[in-house]
Amino acid sequence: MRGRLAAFFALGSASVLLASTALLYVNLDRQLTAAVDEGLRSRADDIEADIAAGSVQIRREEPFAQILGADGTVISSSPTIGSGRRLLTDEELARALRDPVWLKRPGSAGDARLLAEPVDTGGRTVVLVVGTHLEAVERARQRLAVALVVAAPLLAGTLAGGGWFLTGAALRPVGQMAEEAEAISLAEPGRRLPQPPGDDEIAHLGRTLNAMLD
């Protein structure tokens, strides 16, 4: 019984831990993505303020941004992107001319997340693109996954061990009563089973057996 109860306890704990770790990973992943998007939005707002002031240029300190004309011409770009390289395809550019678009772009240096949106310069509409590389986010995801994979089995094993000892402590009075019952004989008619304290099922069993012996 002790083994079955401990196994059941371990299985239940593992199921709860599996669901909890999955929810934790998904939630933290969403928070990381939201933080990245918030940073992109803030940078886009700063560049839009420059455009509204009449400067349709990307500041040199801006790490990853580009301004495209409606025909796809590169108007201004961060030095790190490279001369003449366009960040959007024709289809993406057409979508970004209508509404803001969130994109994920794979690359040799890792994935990047982009925000492309239309900006009115007064006489024409251009598309502003800001992006960021996701290496730090991917590393955080990997560290989180490793931590969960290592911690979850350890915690499940700890809980199972705790269940084993707790079950043993709960069933110890039953074992003592069984040993005492084996020792009772007709030669000792007044001998009785040890009475467990409390008012639970095991204590009730002890009182019942002693009443039967009476």
Side-chain angles (χ1 to χ4, degrees):
M1 182 181 293
R2 183 183 186 184
R4 289 196 299 270
L5 288 175
F8 180 77
F9 190 84
L11 180 61
S13 301
S15 300
V16 172
L17 284 173
L18 180 61
S20 300
T21 52
L23 289 174
L24 177 62
Y25 182 85
V26 170
N27 185 52
L28 290 180
D29 183 67
R30 288 178 178 174
Q31 291 184 7
L32 288 172
T33 302
V36 169
D37 292 349
E38 183 178 353
L40 291 177
R41 169 54 61 192
S42 177
R43 287 166 51 200
D45 290 342
D46 291 340
I47 298 174
E48 287 180 20
D50 291 341
I51 295 175
S55 175
V56 191
Q57 293 291 323
I58 300 296
R59 296 180 183 180
R60 294 190 60 84
E61 61 269 20
E62 174 59 47
F64 194 170
Q66 191 172 74
I67 299 175
L68 300 174
D71 59 354
T73 304
V74 177
I75 299 174
S76 182
S77 186
S78 296
T80 56
I81 296 177
S83 178
R85 178 190 169 198
R86 198 175 76 177
L87 292 175
L88 302 182
T89 65
D90 291 338
E91 187 270 336
E92 293 167 345
L93 179 64
R95 289 167 53 199
L97 282 168
R98 297 189 300 269
D99 299 293
V101 178
W102 294 95
L103 303 168
K104 189 173 183 180
R105 182 77 75 244
S108 57
D111 293 342
R113 186 160 176 81
L114 307 178
L115 168 61
E117 61 182 7
V119 180
D120 186 6
T121 63
R124 59 175 176 167
T125 299
V126 297
V127 172
L128 169 63
V129 185
V130 291
T132 185
H133 292 290
L134 299 176
E135 294 95 336
V137 175
E138 293 298 334
R139 286 197 298 269
R141 288 171 177 162
Q142 291 173 2
R143 287 195 294 268
L144 175 62
V146 170
L148 293 178
V149 167
V150 172
L154 290 177
L155 186 55
T158 301
L159 292 174
W164 171 266
F165 286 110
L166 288 175
T167 304
L171 295 178
R172 188 173 297 115
V174 177
Q176 294 173 347
M177 285 190 292
E179 293 176 359
E180 189 70 15
E182 291 175 351
I184 292 177
S185 67
L186 291 177
E188 300 175 292
R191 189 171 179 178
R192 295 294 180 264
L193 303 179
Q195 180 63 52
D199 195 29
D200 56 15
E201 290 83 353
I202 296 178
H204 179 66
L205 174 64
R207 288 194 298 270
T208 301
L209 293 178
N210 283 331
M212 180 185 68
L213 290 173
D214 289 340

